[in-house]
Amino acid sequence: MDFNTAEKQFEGGGDFECIPEDTVVTMVMMVRPGGAGPNGWLKQGKPSASSNGGWQYMDCEFVIEGGDFDKRKVWQNMMWENIGPADQAKADKTANITKATVRAMLESARNIMPGDESPAAQAARQINDFDDFNGLTFRAKLKIEKSNDPQYKDKNQIKSIVTPDMAEYGGAVAPTPMPQSDSVTHIGQAADAVVAQVATAQAANNVPAWAK
């Protein structure tokens, strides 16, 4: 077996080069549990100048699905709760950014317009547990985060979530069905409506290229 004709390690680019800024991709989410927070799904950060007790955060892995960057991965921490913050206003702002991002992820995955406040839309923005994020598929625009440490390379991060009201979304989508459990019975018919929307969209084959 002769490997002299194979490309040199970095010649083909591979996973070592960042995906270009503002590239829109479809991503599948996974949360890596760390033993902290509800049911152990969060990780516990260390105390710092801005957090007396440290942040609890989601350790997320996002796998790109389809396109030129199929199976490439993006890793990103999503701050969830500051334990004993030194600066409450700053902590609240950071937590609100995470919540807004999660809302947009659910809207992208479940084909919900951001301005839709119907019972079905409100039901679609709810989850039972952090485990519901595993397998969530949505569209996102990427950015390149520059490294301040010469030992580490620049890396891709999520710049924004692409929701159904944006041109990059690609049209109507058969939404990701909501997990069903006893803990969502209080939304009753609203949850049933979301499931019905999924079946209708699938029956009509109303699925854009990125979702196929």
Side-chain angles (χ1 to χ4, degrees):
M1 293 181 286
D2 185 354
F3 296 96
N4 284 289
T5 58
E7 290 183 347
K8 299 178 182 66
Q9 180 175 220
F10 299 105
E11 193 171 30
D15 287 353
F16 301 98
E17 294 183 2
C18 286
I19 297 170
E21 185 90 13
D22 290 330
T23 298
V24 175
V25 296
T26 300
M27 314 186 88
V28 182
M29 183 176 183
M30 184 182 76
V31 180
R32 300 186 288 189
N39 296 322
W41 280 103
L42 303 179
K43 287 192 174 180
Q44 178 65 58
K46 297 179 180 179
S48 66
S50 62
S51 175
N52 295 328
W55 275 94
Q56 288 187 351
Y57 61 91
M58 287 193 290
D59 178 3
C60 301
E61 178 179 288
F62 303 95
V63 181
I64 294 174
E65 188 175 75
D68 295 336
F69 304 102
D70 187 41
K71 295 182 173 59
R72 289 278 297 269
K73 295 182 179 181
V74 174
W75 292 272
Q76 190 163 332
N77 295 332
M78 300 182 69
M79 302 298 119
W80 193 259
E81 183 178 6
N82 198 332
I83 308 301
D87 186 338
Q88 185 64 55
K90 185 176 180 180
D92 290 344
K93 182 178 180 180
T94 300
N96 287 334
I97 290 173
T98 295
K99 291 176 181 178
T101 300
V102 168
R103 172 182 171 137
M105 287 175 174
L106 292 171
E107 290 170 342
S108 179
R110 296 173 175 173
N111 193 22
I112 302 298
M113 284 290 200
D116 187 351
E117 297 299 334
S118 66
Q122 292 185 37
R125 296 189 189 101
Q126 298 185 37
I127 62 169
N128 301 314
D129 194 4
F130 288 96
D131 184 40
D132 291 349
F133 290 124
N134 290 317
L136 194 73
T137 303
F138 58 89
R139 300 212 87 187
K141 183 178 291 187
L142 300 181
K143 65 180 180 180
I144 297 175
E145 187 174 278
K146 299 292 185 180
S147 174
N148 296 321
D149 189 333
Q151 296 184 22
Y152 298 98
K153 293 180 177 293
D154 298 342
K155 61 182 180 180
N156 283 119
Q157 297 277 266
I158 294 174
K159 182 176 186 177
S160 60
I161 308 301
V162 178
T163 48
D165 57 322
M166 300 178 181
E168 297 96 333
Y169 192 71
V173 177
T176 303
M178 296 194 308
Q180 299 298 300
S181 77
D182 292 340
S183 62
V184 295
T185 54
H186 67 285
I187 47 181
Q189 293 181 347
D192 293 338
V194 174
V195 176
Q197 290 171 5
V198 174
T200 301
Q202 289 174 336
N205 197 28
N206 196 16
V207 184
W210 72 265
K212 294 180 181 178

